[in-house]
Amino acid sequence: MAIYHLTARGVSPARGSSAVKTSAYISGQALVDERTGEACRYARAERVAASGLAMPEGAPAWDRQRLWNEAAAAHGGGTELVGKTYEFALPRELDSDARLSCVADFCADFTARGRACDWAVHDSGDGNPHAHVLVSALALGPDGFERQAVKKSTKVYMCRDASGGEFAVPAGEWKAAKAEGLEKVYNFKDGRRLTMSQARAEGLGTADRKSKSPVAVTASADGTPAFDVERAELVRVRAMWAGIANHYLAALAEATGSRAVAIDHRSNEARGLDEVPHIHVGRSASPERRARNRAIDAANRAIADAKGRIARIAGAARAWWSRKTDALTKRRKGFIAGHRARAMAVAAVRPGRKPGSHGWGDGFADQDVGPVGYAGFDELLAYRADEASAVNSRNVADPGRKSRPRRGHGR
């Protein structure tokens, strides 16, 4: 059955990764990283079922090696993100042509934004067909990759002054802020955030810090934290891929007359599911990760068993309540029918009295007597008073005689 799986990874020299190496891996093609002179070749090229480049309109007719070497050069060999690679599972229900169409639609979303895409479909015949798409970080125009004239983001440090006041200081203004007596804040192993002056006052040093790096965020040009921007983009891409896959799965179901299946990019929590999600084992599944998933399977079975027992108890409770309410309904109908008959009898022996406008049965629509009508509540009271009077008269005449018990009551 189709499953949802999509991961995204940044490709940057700062992360120890190379766009040329990544392209060589996903395409199965031997490439040379011109920046280092390294030849990039990976085994198992036979698993690559298909591969290609998807370029924005008007882009140069470059091959893979030229494309990614130019992308790395456009960043000047710095630590900026050169590209981002997406890996996603392709529905097993689809044939190879439909899977290629899925990948083409996925790439089209990025080429419409001016990005270059390097894609490949991997299928080792083990029932796990998936795609890799390497997307350039910069837009690709007729003259090559286009760098923005202004910085699209900047690092902002959390700082404090001697009185403990906190300030957000852009990296470019740090020297001036330091001259004014501000200090950077660090995360310490005890969970607190302190400046080094505050730490030294408590006998703590650099060895007690959680990291060498100070507390900082990367903000976009409009001040939005870069993490929030990246997260929003990932959510958009995940939803976009689910829409593409579900479109082709629905078309398959319509063409074959089968039941439609669909994938969902949302988390179990967002979907209101109680199941514990598995962890991704990756290409080299460690024994620890496999053991973790076995524990998750056991937890999910326990959850399903508990939900089943709760459902059975709830069903039994509903059935019991239905039986009780049915019995009460029958008794109510019998009670109303009996008193209605008596009220109508009173109306029959007292033809001069008209039935009241608000009868005993008002409020019970299912017991409406129709156009005949029957005595109102005042008539019923009169009937019950006459009956009580007659009983009392008999008791006075014969003190030793016991009254007949009322219907429904024991002797």
Side-chain angles (χ1 to χ4, degrees):
M1 181 177 177
I3 62 170
Y4 189 94
H5 167 69
L6 184 146
T7 57
R9 296 183 180 87
V11 178
S12 165
R15 302 169 184 241
S17 56
S18 159
V20 177
K21 285 184 178 180
T22 302
S23 176
Y25 169 76
I26 68 174
S27 67
Q29 184 179 347
L31 303 175
V32 176
D33 189 335
E34 296 173 358
R35 185 171 57 89
T36 62
E38 181 182 0
C40 307
R41 182 191 298 272
Y42 293 89
R44 296 184 62 205
E46 70 279 358
R47 75 191 187 287
V48 181
S51 65
L53 295 176
M55 307 287 251
E57 187 176 354
W62 291 342
D63 59 11
R64 279 193 176 86
Q65 181 157 307
R66 177 76 183 275
L67 174 67
W68 298 114
N69 277 297
E70 290 283 353
H75 290 276
T79 60
E80 296 178 58
L81 200 69
V82 177
K84 189 175 289 186
T85 180
Y86 296 94
E87 176 190 323
F88 49 93
L90 295 168
R92 287 178 289 184
E93 290 84 349
L94 302 178
D95 59 24
S96 58
D97 289 339
R99 291 173 189 165
L100 290 179
S101 296
C102 285
V103 177
D105 288 356
F106 185 88
C107 293
D109 179 86
F110 293 98
T111 56
R113 300 166 186 266
R115 276 26 181 201
C117 296
D118 186 351
W119 62 270
V121 173
H122 290 186
D123 189 356
S124 300
D126 57 356
N128 181 33
H130 58 279
H132 296 266
V133 179
L134 175 59
V135 182
S136 65
L138 296 177
L140 180 60
D143 299 323
F145 286 101
E146 304 168 350
R147 287 186 63 85
Q148 293 182 338
V150 296
K151 292 185 68 174
K152 59 181 181 180
S153 63
T154 185
K155 182 173 285 189
V156 179
Y157 295 108
M158 177 186 288
C159 299
R160 289 178 185 164
D161 60 14
S163 64
E166 294 191 348
F167 302 88
V169 179
E173 302 174 14
W174 163 241
K175 288 185 179 181
K178 183 178 180 181
E180 294 176 3
L182 294 182
E183 291 186 76
K184 293 178 181 177
V185 175
Y186 295 85
N187 285 315
F188 280 76
K189 294 177 181 178
D190 61 5
R192 292 184 297 165
R193 287 179 170 178
L194 305 170
T195 65
M196 288 310 301
S197 293
Q198 292 172 328
R200 282 191 288 269
E202 298 186 18
L204 302 175
T206 56
D208 299 299
R209 294 192 314 211
K210 198 172 183 179
S211 170
K212 294 181 180 180
S213 302
V215 178
V217 296
T218 303
S220 60
D222 62 359
T224 306
F227 177 81
D228 293 343
V229 175
E230 288 295 319
R231 182 178 180 83
E233 171 64 5
L234 179 58
V235 171
R236 185 195 71 81
V237 173
R238 287 175 61 83
M240 180 262 291
W241 165 239
I244 291 172
N246 289 335
H247 168 75
Y248 285 94
L249 287 169
L252 173 66
E254 184 177 357
T256 58
S258 58
R259 183 176 65 88
V261 296
I263 60 176
D264 198 319
H265 69 284
R266 297 173 299 165
S267 66
N268 284 357
E269 181 180 3
R271 295 165 62 189
L273 300 179
D274 295 328
E275 292 185 2
V276 181
H278 285 88
I279 60 172
H280 184 56
V281 296
R283 292 190 295 271
S284 301
S286 66
E288 293 79 9
R289 284 177 174 263
R290 291 190 181 279
R292 174 75 181 278
N293 279 341
R294 285 195 293 272
I296 290 173
D297 286 336
N300 284 336
R301 285 194 295 271
I303 291 171
D305 180 63
K307 290 172 68 176
R309 282 183 288 169
I310 291 171
R312 289 192 293 273
I313 293 171
R318 286 192 296 269
W320 176 86
W321 181 248
S322 178
R323 291 193 298 271
K324 294 293 290 184
T325 53
D326 285 349
L328 289 172
T329 299
K330 290 180 180 178
R331 290 180 61 185
R332 178 177 65 85
K333 289 182 177 180
F335 175 82
I336 294 173
H339 282 282
R340 181 182 62 182
R342 293 182 182 182
M344 294 181 70
V346 171
V349 300
R350 299 183 180 183
R353 300 288 297 275
K354 295 182 179 180
S357 58
H358 298 288
W360 165 248
D362 283 2
F364 300 96
D366 58 331
Q367 297 299 321
D368 187 10
V369 298
V372 176
Y374 52 86
F377 191 66
D378 55 339
E379 301 289 354
L380 179 61
L381 291 178
Y383 170 82
R384 298 294 291 180
D386 291 346
E387 184 183 62
S389 178
V391 170
N392 289 335
S393 298
R394 289 195 296 272
N395 289 340
V396 170
D398 185 5
R401 180 180 179 277
K402 291 185 178 180
S403 299
R404 184 179 179 183
R406 293 174 59 193
R407 181 179 299 175
H409 295 267
R411 293 184 179 275

